[in-house]
Amino acid sequence: ALAGMASTSALSGVLYFHPDDVRALAAEWQGKATFAWGPDDTSQGWHEFAITDPNGYTLGLAEPIES
């Protein structure tokens, strides 16, 4: 946890963000961040990956596969 922050997450689950180009973002972050999963296509029709931030929150980044 970051200094002054709680040592456990207050959220269970994934907080999703929808940037314009998930593939480009994943390529840019490759080797700079540890991915919790992906990048991959899901059976629900999303191209996504996720990271875990320093406070333990899982941040998902996704866009529709057809994008």
Side-chain angles (χ1 to χ4, degrees):
L2 296 175
M5 301 298 289
S7 61
T8 58
S9 301
L11 170 76
S12 62
V14 180
L15 182 61
Y16 274 94
F17 297 89
H18 299 280
D20 291 332
D21 193 341
V22 169
R23 289 168 179 81
L25 189 58
E28 180 181 339
W29 288 5
Q30 198 76 31
K32 297 177 184 175
T34 301
F35 292 2
W37 67 76
D40 205 0
D41 292 341
T42 71
S43 59
Q44 294 82 23
W46 294 93
H47 184 75
E48 68 178 46
F49 70 96
I51 62 170
T52 303
D53 79 1
N55 290 312
Y57 295 102
T58 302
L59 308 176
L61 298 108
E63 68 178 338
I65 289 175
E66 48 290 341
S67 291

